[in-house]
Amino acid sequence: MGVRKKSSGLSARASATEPSAGECIEARNLIKSFGEPPVNVLKSVSLKIGRGEFVSIIGRSGSGKSTLLYMLSGLDTPSSGEILIEGKNINALSRTEFNYLRNRTIGFVFQFHYLLPELTLLENALMPARKYGDHRTREPYAKELLAAFGLGDKFGRYPSQVSGGESQRAAVARALVMEPRYLFADEPTGNLDTVNGDIVMELFQKINRDFGAAVIMVTHDPDFAEMARRKIHIVDGALAD
C-alpha cells in the first residue's frame, strides 16, 4: 500500500506481552444496563487491547458485541466501570479533553459509511481534521489515503456518484486521516458484497501491518474473524473462557 508508515507505536508483529497503561485501551468491570427494571447487556467485562493488535469481537446477535465496541471506543458510556485510553480515565476528562483525545487516538468505521451526501469524498475524508482547523495540513494525507484505497481519480465525486464499496473505503480513509492508534469497526463488511467485503478486510490487514494501528472489529463472518490474531468471544454480555 502506498500510504506512509507510522514511525512510532508497536509493530503489528510485536511481542504479545501485557501492554503498559500508556500503550493500550483498558476496560475495568464494565457494566451496561438498559430498561426498567434494568437488564445488564454487559456484565463486568475487563480486558486490555494493546497497540498493534488485530482483534475480532465475536458472538451471537444480542450478545453485547457492539455495545462493548462502543464502550471501548468512547462512543457510549458504561453504567458502571471504567475505560482507560492509554492510562487516562475518560470519565475523569472534561468534554473538551475527551473529544480531543478521542479524535487524535481513535478512528471508527461503521457498518454503513455515513458519508455526508453534500460533500465530496475528499471533503468527507477530511471531516475529523476540520473539527480542529487541521484540514488544510491534512489534505495531502487524505488524498494519499484515498489514492491508496483505489479512489485517486474520485476526490471530487459525491457519495451518490460512487459505489457502496467505494463509499466504505472513503469512510475508512476518514477514520484514518488523523492517524489514530486504534481503529474500531462495527460490522464494516455487513453492507457490502463479497468482493468489496474482501477489499475492506485487506485494507484492515494493511492498516494493521503498515501503520501499526490496532484494529478492533465486530463481525459475524467467521472467515473475517479468523483474520484477526486474537478473538474476544462474548456470550450473554460476558467474556467467554
Side-chain angles (χ1 to χ4, degrees):
M1 185 164 64
V3 294
R4 60 188 177 188
K5 297 184 180 182
K6 277 190 174 291
S7 58
S8 61
L10 292 180
S11 166
R13 303 184 188 280
S15 170
T17 56
E18 183 78 356
S20 70
E23 299 175 336
C24 71
I25 292 179
E26 181 178 2
R28 296 178 178 173
N29 299 314
L30 287 190
I31 294 175
K32 183 65 174 182
S33 302
F34 295 102
E36 188 61 45
V39 175
N40 289 345
V41 177
L42 287 183
K43 303 171 183 177
S44 195
V45 172
S46 296
L47 56 84
K48 290 182 180 181
I49 296 174
R51 292 185 191 177
E53 287 201 74
F54 194 144
V55 177
S56 62
I57 301 177
I58 60 175
R60 294 183 177 180
S61 296
S63 62
K65 303 185 304 299
S66 293
T67 300
L68 176 60
L69 194 78
Y70 277 61
M71 300 288 110
L72 293 173
S73 63
L75 283 178
D76 199 357
T77 55
S79 301
S80 65
E82 297 178 331
I83 299 288
L84 283 76
I85 298 178
E86 303 202 332
K88 296 181 180 179
N89 185 340
I90 62 176
N91 292 334
L93 300 177
S94 69
R95 176 53 55 180
T96 299
E97 290 171 331
F98 168 70
N99 286 340
Y100 184 84
L101 175 67
R102 188 182 178 283
N103 194 57
R104 301 283 171 163
T105 307
I106 288 173
F108 202 103
V109 179
F110 299 89
Q111 179 175 352
F112 301 96
H113 55 74
Y114 293 124
L115 299 182
L116 295 177
E118 68 273 18
L119 300 183
T120 65
L121 297 190
L122 177 60
E123 290 168 338
N124 268 288
L126 284 166
M127 281 301 295
R130 189 174 296 277
K131 293 180 181 179
Y132 294 94
D134 201 18
H135 54 287
R136 295 193 185 279
T137 57
R138 289 279 168 176
E139 184 171 330
Y141 186 44
K143 289 180 176 179
E144 193 178 351
L145 284 168
L146 290 169
F149 295 170
L151 301 170
D153 59 344
K154 296 180 171 65
F155 295 160
R157 300 277 184 92
Y158 292 90
S160 62
Q161 297 174 319
V162 299
S163 70
E166 289 169 331
S167 292
Q168 189 69 319
R169 279 180 263 161
V172 175
R174 178 183 59 192
L176 290 173
V177 75
M178 300 302 291
E179 298 182 84
R181 292 188 284 276
Y182 306 92
L183 179 67
F184 289 85
D186 188 15
E187 295 285 0
T189 63
N191 199 41
L192 300 177
D193 59 29
T194 301
V195 171
N196 280 295
D198 288 342
I199 290 172
V200 168
M201 286 305 303
E202 288 172 5
L203 291 180
F204 284 172
Q205 289 181 308
K206 290 180 180 180
I207 288 161
N208 178 247
R209 181 181 65 244
D210 296 346
F211 288 43
V215 175
I216 306 99
M217 171 186 67
V218 164
T219 181
H220 279 103
D221 191 306
D223 292 333
F224 292 156
E226 286 299 321
M227 292 182 179
R229 287 187 291 279
R230 176 184 170 197
K231 291 190 284 295
I232 296 173
H233 191 190
I234 303 293
V235 178
D236 296 332
L239 297 182
D241 293 333

PDB file of all heavy atoms in Angstrom, residues 139-172:
ATOM      1  N   GLU A 139      -4.852  17.609   4.182  1.00  0.00           N
ATOM      2  CA  GLU A 139      -5.385  17.301   2.849  1.00  0.00           C
ATOM      3  C   GLU A 139      -4.453  16.424   2.014  1.00  0.00           C
ATOM      4  O   GLU A 139      -4.920  15.459   1.383  1.00  0.00           O
ATOM      5  CB  GLU A 139      -5.714  18.588   2.090  1.00  0.00           C
ATOM      6  CG  GLU A 139      -6.351  18.319   0.740  1.00  0.00           C
ATOM      7  CD  GLU A 139      -6.880  19.571   0.065  1.00  0.00           C
ATOM      8  OE1 GLU A 139      -7.282  20.518   0.776  1.00  0.00           O
ATOM      9  OE2 GLU A 139      -6.900  19.601  -1.183  1.00  0.00           O
ATOM     10  N   PRO A 140      -3.134  16.678   1.987  1.00  0.00           N
ATOM     11  CA  PRO A 140      -2.263  15.780   1.197  1.00  0.00           C
ATOM     12  C   PRO A 140      -2.341  14.337   1.678  1.00  0.00           C
ATOM     13  O   PRO A 140      -2.331  13.409   0.860  1.00  0.00           O
ATOM     14  CB  PRO A 140      -0.864  16.368   1.402  1.00  0.00           C
ATOM     15  CG  PRO A 140      -1.106  17.804   1.732  1.00  0.00           C
ATOM     16  CD  PRO A 140      -2.380  17.819   2.545  1.00  0.00           C
ATOM     17  N   TYR A 141      -2.430  14.146   2.998  1.00  0.00           N
ATOM     18  CA  TYR A 141      -2.514  12.780   3.524  1.00  0.00           C
ATOM     19  C   TYR A 141      -3.855  12.150   3.189  1.00  0.00           C
ATOM     20  O   TYR A 141      -3.925  10.953   2.863  1.00  0.00           O
ATOM     21  CB  TYR A 141      -2.290  12.813   5.031  1.00  0.00           C
ATOM     22  CG  TYR A 141      -2.204  11.439   5.660  1.00  0.00           C
ATOM     23  CD1 TYR A 141      -1.454  10.423   5.065  1.00  0.00           C
ATOM     24  CD2 TYR A 141      -2.856  11.156   6.851  1.00  0.00           C
ATOM     25  CE1 TYR A 141      -1.367   9.162   5.640  1.00  0.00           C
ATOM     26  CE2 TYR A 141      -2.769   9.904   7.438  1.00  0.00           C
ATOM     27  CZ  TYR A 141      -2.026   8.914   6.828  1.00  0.00           C
ATOM     28  OH  TYR A 141      -1.938   7.667   7.395  1.00  0.00           O
ATOM     29  N   ALA A 142      -4.938  12.917   3.248  1.00  0.00           N
ATOM     30  CA  ALA A 142      -6.254  12.399   2.876  1.00  0.00           C
ATOM     31  C   ALA A 142      -6.248  11.936   1.417  1.00  0.00           C
ATOM     32  O   ALA A 142      -6.792  10.872   1.087  1.00  0.00           O
ATOM     33  CB  ALA A 142      -7.329  13.461   3.096  1.00  0.00           C
ATOM     34  N   LYS A 143      -5.624  12.709   0.567  1.00  0.00           N
ATOM     35  CA  LYS A 143      -5.523  12.322  -0.844  1.00  0.00           C
ATOM     36  C   LYS A 143      -4.685  11.056  -0.995  1.00  0.00           C
ATOM     37  O   LYS A 143      -4.997  10.174  -1.811  1.00  0.00           O
ATOM     38  CB  LYS A 143      -4.910  13.463  -1.659  1.00  0.00           C
ATOM     39  CG  LYS A 143      -5.838  14.658  -1.840  1.00  0.00           C
ATOM     40  CD  LYS A 143      -5.158  15.748  -2.662  1.00  0.00           C
ATOM     41  CE  LYS A 143      -6.116  16.903  -2.930  1.00  0.00           C
ATOM     42  NZ  LYS A 143      -5.456  17.987  -3.705  1.00  0.00           N
ATOM     43  N   GLU A 144      -3.625  10.962  -0.211  1.00  0.00           N
ATOM     44  CA  GLU A 144      -2.752   9.791  -0.255  1.00  0.00           C
ATOM     45  C   GLU A 144      -3.534   8.541   0.158  1.00  0.00           C
ATOM     46  O   GLU A 144      -3.410   7.477  -0.474  1.00  0.00           O
ATOM     47  CB  GLU A 144      -1.573  10.033   0.687  1.00  0.00           C
ATOM     48  CG  GLU A 144      -0.423   9.063   0.542  1.00  0.00           C
ATOM     49  CD  GLU A 144       0.723   9.411   1.470  1.00  0.00           C
ATOM     50  OE1 GLU A 144       0.704  10.484   2.102  1.00  0.00           O
ATOM     51  OE2 GLU A 144       1.631   8.570   1.577  1.00  0.00           O
ATOM     52  N   LEU A 145      -4.330   8.671   1.217  1.00  0.00           N
ATOM     53  CA  LEU A 145      -5.140   7.545   1.670  1.00  0.00           C
ATOM     54  C   LEU A 145      -6.143   7.130   0.607  1.00  0.00           C
ATOM     55  O   LEU A 145      -6.270   5.951   0.265  1.00  0.00           O
ATOM     56  CB  LEU A 145      -5.877   7.917   2.958  1.00  0.00           C
ATOM     57  CG  LEU A 145      -5.076   7.953   4.249  1.00  0.00           C
ATOM     58  CD1 LEU A 145      -5.886   8.633   5.355  1.00  0.00           C
ATOM     59  CD2 LEU A 145      -4.680   6.550   4.677  1.00  0.00           C
ATOM     60  N   LEU A 146      -6.906   8.091   0.092  1.00  0.00           N
ATOM     61  CA  LEU A 146      -7.914   7.782  -0.917  1.00  0.00           C
ATOM     62  C   LEU A 146      -7.287   7.138  -2.142  1.00  0.00           C
ATOM     63  O   LEU A 146      -7.836   6.173  -2.700  1.00  0.00           O
ATOM     64  CB  LEU A 146      -8.673   9.052  -1.306  1.00  0.00           C
ATOM     65  CG  LEU A 146      -9.610   9.631  -0.236  1.00  0.00           C
ATOM     66  CD1 LEU A 146     -10.081  11.023  -0.636  1.00  0.00           C
ATOM     67  CD2 LEU A 146     -10.807   8.716   0.002  1.00  0.00           C
ATOM     68  N   ALA A 147      -6.130   7.634  -2.558  1.00  0.00           N
ATOM     69  CA  ALA A 147      -5.450   7.052  -3.711  1.00  0.00           C
ATOM     70  C   ALA A 147      -5.014   5.620  -3.408  1.00  0.00           C
ATOM     71  O   ALA A 147      -5.163   4.720  -4.248  1.00  0.00           O
ATOM     72  CB  ALA A 147      -4.246   7.906  -4.093  1.00  0.00           C
ATOM     73  N   ALA A 148      -4.497   5.401  -2.205  1.00  0.00           N
ATOM     74  CA  ALA A 148      -4.064   4.054  -1.826  1.00  0.00           C
ATOM     75  C   ALA A 148      -5.233   3.084  -1.764  1.00  0.00           C
ATOM     76  O   ALA A 148      -5.053   1.880  -1.954  1.00  0.00           O
ATOM     77  CB  ALA A 148      -3.355   4.109  -0.468  1.00  0.00           C
ATOM     78  N   PHE A 149      -6.423   3.607  -1.522  1.00  0.00           N
ATOM     79  CA  PHE A 149      -7.622   2.776  -1.438  1.00  0.00           C
ATOM     80  C   PHE A 149      -8.368   2.698  -2.767  1.00  0.00           C
ATOM     81  O   PHE A 149      -9.525   2.314  -2.817  1.00  0.00           O
ATOM     82  CB  PHE A 149      -8.561   3.321  -0.365  1.00  0.00           C
ATOM     83  CG  PHE A 149      -8.002   3.250   1.036  1.00  0.00           C
ATOM     84  CD1 PHE A 149      -8.654   3.886   2.080  1.00  0.00           C
ATOM     85  CD2 PHE A 149      -6.837   2.561   1.325  1.00  0.00           C
ATOM     86  CE1 PHE A 149      -8.158   3.832   3.372  1.00  0.00           C
ATOM     87  CE2 PHE A 149      -6.328   2.501   2.611  1.00  0.00           C
ATOM     88  CZ  PHE A 149      -6.983   3.136   3.639  1.00  0.00           C
ATOM     89  N   GLY A 150      -7.685   3.081  -3.858  1.00  0.00           N
ATOM     90  CA  GLY A 150      -8.263   2.958  -5.194  1.00  0.00           C
ATOM     91  C   GLY A 150      -9.237   4.055  -5.562  1.00  0.00           C
ATOM     92  O   GLY A 150     -10.049   3.891  -6.479  1.00  0.00           O
ATOM     93  N   LEU A 151      -9.136   5.210  -4.897  1.00  0.00           N
ATOM     94  CA  LEU A 151     -10.068   6.313  -5.144  1.00  0.00           C
ATOM     95  C   LEU A 151      -9.340   7.571  -5.611  1.00  0.00           C
ATOM     96  O   LEU A 151      -9.861   8.681  -5.480  1.00  0.00           O
ATOM     97  CB  LEU A 151     -10.865   6.623  -3.860  1.00  0.00           C
ATOM     98  CG  LEU A 151     -11.695   5.461  -3.303  1.00  0.00           C
ATOM     99  CD1 LEU A 151     -12.238   5.810  -1.915  1.00  0.00           C
ATOM    100  CD2 LEU A 151     -12.842   5.111  -4.241  1.00  0.00           C
ATOM    101  N   GLY A 152      -8.150   7.395  -6.156  1.00  0.00           N
ATOM    102  CA  GLY A 152      -7.343   8.540  -6.559  1.00  0.00           C
ATOM    103  C   GLY A 152      -7.959   9.390  -7.651  1.00  0.00           C
ATOM    104  O   GLY A 152      -7.624  10.569  -7.777  1.00  0.00           O
ATOM    105  N   ASP A 153      -8.845   8.810  -8.440  1.00  0.00           N
ATOM    106  CA  ASP A 153      -9.493   9.572  -9.508  1.00  0.00           C
ATOM    107  C   ASP A 153     -10.897  10.027  -9.120  1.00  0.00           C
ATOM    108  O   ASP A 153     -11.663  10.492  -9.970  1.00  0.00           O
ATOM    109  CB  ASP A 153      -9.568   8.732 -10.783  1.00  0.00           C
ATOM    110  CG  ASP A 153     -10.336   7.434 -10.599  1.00  0.00           C
ATOM    111  OD1 ASP A 153     -10.546   7.023  -9.433  1.00  0.00           O
ATOM    112  OD2 ASP A 153     -10.733   6.821 -11.615  1.00  0.00           O
ATOM    113  N   LYS A 154     -11.229   9.929  -7.831  1.00  0.00           N
ATOM    114  CA  LYS A 154     -12.593  10.233  -7.402  1.00  0.00           C
ATOM    115  C   LYS A 154     -12.644  11.234  -6.242  1.00  0.00           C
ATOM    116  O   LYS A 154     -13.629  11.293  -5.511  1.00  0.00           O
ATOM    117  CB  LYS A 154     -13.323   8.941  -7.001  1.00  0.00           C
ATOM    118  CG  LYS A 154     -13.512   7.963  -8.169  1.00  0.00           C
ATOM    119  CD  LYS A 154     -14.230   6.705  -7.735  1.00  0.00           C
ATOM    120  CE  LYS A 154     -14.605   5.836  -8.941  1.00  0.00           C
ATOM    121  NZ  LYS A 154     -13.415   5.310  -9.639  1.00  0.00           N
ATOM    122  N   PHE A 155     -11.582  12.036  -6.065  1.00  0.00           N
ATOM    123  CA  PHE A 155     -11.573  13.001  -4.963  1.00  0.00           C
ATOM    124  C   PHE A 155     -12.800  13.905  -4.989  1.00  0.00           C
ATOM    125  O   PHE A 155     -13.374  14.241  -3.950  1.00  0.00           O
ATOM    126  CB  PHE A 155     -10.331  13.896  -5.033  1.00  0.00           C
ATOM    127  CG  PHE A 155      -9.027  13.188  -4.828  1.00  0.00           C
ATOM    128  CD1 PHE A 155      -7.845  13.773  -5.267  1.00  0.00           C
ATOM    129  CD2 PHE A 155      -8.952  11.950  -4.202  1.00  0.00           C
ATOM    130  CE1 PHE A 155      -6.624  13.149  -5.079  1.00  0.00           C
ATOM    131  CE2 PHE A 155      -7.742  11.306  -4.006  1.00  0.00           C
ATOM    132  CZ  PHE A 155      -6.569  11.913  -4.456  1.00  0.00           C
ATOM    133  N   GLY A 156     -13.197  14.334  -6.196  1.00  0.00           N
ATOM    134  CA  GLY A 156     -14.280  15.301  -6.330  1.00  0.00           C
ATOM    135  C   GLY A 156     -15.658  14.685  -6.505  1.00  0.00           C
ATOM    136  O   GLY A 156     -16.639  15.419  -6.667  1.00  0.00           O
ATOM    137  N   ARG A 157     -15.739  13.364  -6.459  1.00  0.00           N
ATOM    138  CA  ARG A 157     -17.041  12.698  -6.599  1.00  0.00           C
ATOM    139  C   ARG A 157     -17.832  12.783  -5.291  1.00  0.00           C
ATOM    140  O   ARG A 157     -17.256  12.818  -4.202  1.00  0.00           O
ATOM    141  CB  ARG A 157     -16.860  11.223  -6.964  1.00  0.00           C
ATOM    142  CG  ARG A 157     -16.117  10.985  -8.268  1.00  0.00           C
ATOM    143  CD  ARG A 157     -17.031  11.096  -9.474  1.00  0.00           C
ATOM    144  NE  ARG A 157     -16.306  10.771 -10.697  1.00  0.00           N
ATOM    145  CZ  ARG A 157     -16.241   9.554 -11.222  1.00  0.00           C
ATOM    146  NH1 ARG A 157     -16.853   8.550 -10.622  1.00  0.00           N
ATOM    147  NH2 ARG A 157     -15.564   9.332 -12.336  1.00  0.00           N
ATOM    148  N   TYR A 158     -19.155  12.757  -5.434  1.00  0.00           N
ATOM    149  CA  TYR A 158     -20.048  12.735  -4.278  1.00  0.00           C
ATOM    150  C   TYR A 158     -20.454  11.281  -3.997  1.00  0.00           C
ATOM    151  O   TYR A 158     -20.373  10.426  -4.891  1.00  0.00           O
ATOM    152  CB  TYR A 158     -21.271  13.607  -4.539  1.00  0.00           C
ATOM    153  CG  TYR A 158     -20.937  15.078  -4.617  1.00  0.00           C
ATOM    154  CD1 TYR A 158     -20.611  15.670  -5.838  1.00  0.00           C
ATOM    155  CD2 TYR A 158     -20.919  15.869  -3.464  1.00  0.00           C
ATOM    156  CE1 TYR A 158     -20.274  17.019  -5.921  1.00  0.00           C
ATOM    157  CE2 TYR A 158     -20.599  17.219  -3.534  1.00  0.00           C
ATOM    158  CZ  TYR A 158     -20.267  17.787  -4.760  1.00  0.00           C
ATOM    159  OH  TYR A 158     -19.933  19.121  -4.823  1.00  0.00           O
ATOM    160  N   PRO A 159     -20.868  10.984  -2.770  1.00  0.00           N
ATOM    161  CA  PRO A 159     -21.242   9.602  -2.447  1.00  0.00           C
ATOM    162  C   PRO A 159     -22.253   8.985  -3.408  1.00  0.00           C
ATOM    163  O   PRO A 159     -22.176   7.783  -3.687  1.00  0.00           O
ATOM    164  CB  PRO A 159     -21.806   9.724  -1.023  1.00  0.00           C
ATOM    165  CG  PRO A 159     -21.054  10.865  -0.434  1.00  0.00           C
ATOM    166  CD  PRO A 159     -20.885  11.848  -1.571  1.00  0.00           C
ATOM    167  N   SER A 160     -23.166   9.789  -3.911  1.00  0.00           N
ATOM    168  CA  SER A 160     -24.164   9.274  -4.846  1.00  0.00           C
ATOM    169  C   SER A 160     -23.561   8.895  -6.196  1.00  0.00           C
ATOM    170  O   SER A 160     -24.222   8.231  -7.002  1.00  0.00           O
ATOM    171  CB  SER A 160     -25.273  10.309  -5.052  1.00  0.00           C
ATOM    172  OG  SER A 160     -24.744  11.497  -5.629  1.00  0.00           O
ATOM    173  N   GLN A 161     -22.319   9.300  -6.438  1.00  0.00           N
ATOM    174  CA  GLN A 161     -21.680   9.063  -7.727  1.00  0.00           C
ATOM    175  C   GLN A 161     -20.689   7.896  -7.691  1.00  0.00           C
ATOM    176  O   GLN A 161     -20.017   7.641  -8.690  1.00  0.00           O
ATOM    177  CB  GLN A 161     -20.960  10.337  -8.190  1.00  0.00           C
ATOM    178  CG  GLN A 161     -21.914  11.505  -8.423  1.00  0.00           C
ATOM    179  CD  GLN A 161     -21.167  12.794  -8.731  1.00  0.00           C
ATOM    180  OE1 GLN A 161     -20.156  13.112  -8.128  1.00  0.00           O
ATOM    181  NE2 GLN A 161     -21.688  13.545  -9.702  1.00  0.00           N
ATOM    182  N   VAL A 162     -20.607   7.215  -6.555  1.00  0.00           N
ATOM    183  CA  VAL A 162     -19.690   6.071  -6.442  1.00  0.00           C
ATOM    184  C   VAL A 162     -20.450   4.883  -5.867  1.00  0.00           C
ATOM    185  O   VAL A 162     -21.572   5.010  -5.395  1.00  0.00           O
ATOM    186  CB  VAL A 162     -18.464   6.413  -5.558  1.00  0.00           C
ATOM    187  CG1 VAL A 162     -17.667   7.555  -6.161  1.00  0.00           C
ATOM    188  CG2 VAL A 162     -18.889   6.742  -4.134  1.00  0.00           C
ATOM    189  N   SER A 163     -19.824   3.716  -5.903  1.00  0.00           N
ATOM    190  CA  SER A 163     -20.468   2.503  -5.420  1.00  0.00           C
ATOM    191  C   SER A 163     -20.443   2.443  -3.890  1.00  0.00           C
ATOM    192  O   SER A 163     -19.726   3.203  -3.228  1.00  0.00           O
ATOM    193  CB  SER A 163     -19.749   1.272  -5.981  1.00  0.00           C
ATOM    194  OG  SER A 163     -18.465   1.149  -5.394  1.00  0.00           O
ATOM    195  N   GLY A 164     -21.197   1.497  -3.349  1.00  0.00           N
ATOM    196  CA  GLY A 164     -21.216   1.304  -1.906  1.00  0.00           C
ATOM    197  C   GLY A 164     -19.853   0.905  -1.364  1.00  0.00           C
ATOM    198  O   GLY A 164     -19.432   1.370  -0.295  1.00  0.00           O
ATOM    199  N   GLY A 165     -19.142   0.053  -2.096  1.00  0.00           N
ATOM    200  CA  GLY A 165     -17.812  -0.354  -1.676  1.00  0.00           C
ATOM    201  C   GLY A 165     -16.835   0.810  -1.684  1.00  0.00           C
ATOM    202  O   GLY A 165     -15.996   0.939  -0.786  1.00  0.00           O
ATOM    203  N   GLU A 166     -16.939   1.667  -2.688  1.00  0.00           N
ATOM    204  CA  GLU A 166     -16.073   2.844  -2.750  1.00  0.00           C
ATOM    205  C   GLU A 166     -16.397   3.820  -1.621  1.00  0.00           C
ATOM    206  O   GLU A 166     -15.496   4.418  -1.024  1.00  0.00           O
ATOM    207  CB  GLU A 166     -16.214   3.517  -4.111  1.00  0.00           C
ATOM    208  CG  GLU A 166     -15.591   2.715  -5.239  1.00  0.00           C
ATOM    209  CD  GLU A 166     -15.941   3.233  -6.617  1.00  0.00           C
ATOM    210  OE1 GLU A 166     -17.037   3.819  -6.789  1.00  0.00           O
ATOM    211  OE2 GLU A 166     -15.121   3.039  -7.544  1.00  0.00           O
ATOM    212  N   SER A 167     -17.675   3.964  -1.307  1.00  0.00           N
ATOM    213  CA  SER A 167     -18.063   4.827  -0.187  1.00  0.00           C
ATOM    214  C   SER A 167     -17.495   4.295   1.129  1.00  0.00           C
ATOM    215  O   SER A 167     -17.026   5.068   1.977  1.00  0.00           O
ATOM    216  CB  SER A 167     -19.590   4.921  -0.092  1.00  0.00           C
ATOM    217  OG  SER A 167     -20.131   5.632  -1.184  1.00  0.00           O
ATOM    218  N   GLN A 168     -17.526   2.969   1.306  1.00  0.00           N
ATOM    219  CA  GLN A 168     -16.990   2.401   2.547  1.00  0.00           C
ATOM    220  C   GLN A 168     -15.481   2.597   2.628  1.00  0.00           C
ATOM    221  O   GLN A 168     -14.942   2.852   3.706  1.00  0.00           O
ATOM    222  CB  GLN A 168     -17.366   0.922   2.660  1.00  0.00           C
ATOM    223  CG  GLN A 168     -17.036   0.293   4.003  1.00  0.00           C
ATOM    224  CD  GLN A 168     -17.905   0.803   5.141  1.00  0.00           C
ATOM    225  OE1 GLN A 168     -18.201   1.986   5.243  1.00  0.00           O
ATOM    226  NE2 GLN A 168     -18.313  -0.098   6.014  1.00  0.00           N
ATOM    227  N   ARG A 169     -14.795   2.507   1.501  1.00  0.00           N
ATOM    228  CA  ARG A 169     -13.357   2.761   1.505  1.00  0.00           C
ATOM    229  C   ARG A 169     -13.064   4.221   1.861  1.00  0.00           C
ATOM    230  O   ARG A 169     -12.101   4.513   2.582  1.00  0.00           O
ATOM    231  CB  ARG A 169     -12.752   2.413   0.141  1.00  0.00           C
ATOM    232  CG  ARG A 169     -12.487   0.925  -0.030  1.00  0.00           C
ATOM    233  CD  ARG A 169     -11.889   0.635  -1.381  1.00  0.00           C
ATOM    234  NE  ARG A 169     -12.903   0.221  -2.327  1.00  0.00           N
ATOM    235  CZ  ARG A 169     -12.754   0.238  -3.653  1.00  0.00           C
ATOM    236  NH1 ARG A 169     -11.625   0.684  -4.171  1.00  0.00           N
ATOM    237  NH2 ARG A 169     -13.718  -0.175  -4.437  1.00  0.00           N
ATOM    238  N   ALA A 170     -13.899   5.134   1.363  1.00  0.00           N
ATOM    239  CA  ALA A 170     -13.737   6.542   1.740  1.00  0.00           C
ATOM    240  C   ALA A 170     -13.982   6.728   3.235  1.00  0.00           C
ATOM    241  O   ALA A 170     -13.323   7.554   3.888  1.00  0.00           O
ATOM    242  CB  ALA A 170     -14.695   7.415   0.933  1.00  0.00           C
ATOM    243  N   ALA A 171     -14.915   5.952   3.797  1.00  0.00           N
ATOM    244  CA  ALA A 171     -15.177   6.024   5.236  1.00  0.00           C
ATOM    245  C   ALA A 171     -13.976   5.521   6.034  1.00  0.00           C
ATOM    246  O   ALA A 171     -13.678   6.042   7.115  1.00  0.00           O
ATOM    247  CB  ALA A 171     -16.426   5.218   5.585  1.00  0.00           C
ATOM    248  N   VAL A 172     -13.281   4.515   5.509  1.00  0.00           N
ATOM    249  CA  VAL A 172     -12.066   4.040   6.177  1.00  0.00           C
ATOM    250  C   VAL A 172     -11.002   5.133   6.136  1.00  0.00           C
ATOM    251  O   VAL A 172     -10.305   5.384   7.136  1.00  0.00           O
ATOM    252  CB  VAL A 172     -11.554   2.743   5.523  1.00  0.00           C
ATOM    253  CG1 VAL A 172     -10.218   2.329   6.145  1.00  0.00           C
ATOM    254  CG2 VAL A 172     -12.575   1.625   5.671  1.00  0.00           C
TER     255      VAL A 172
END
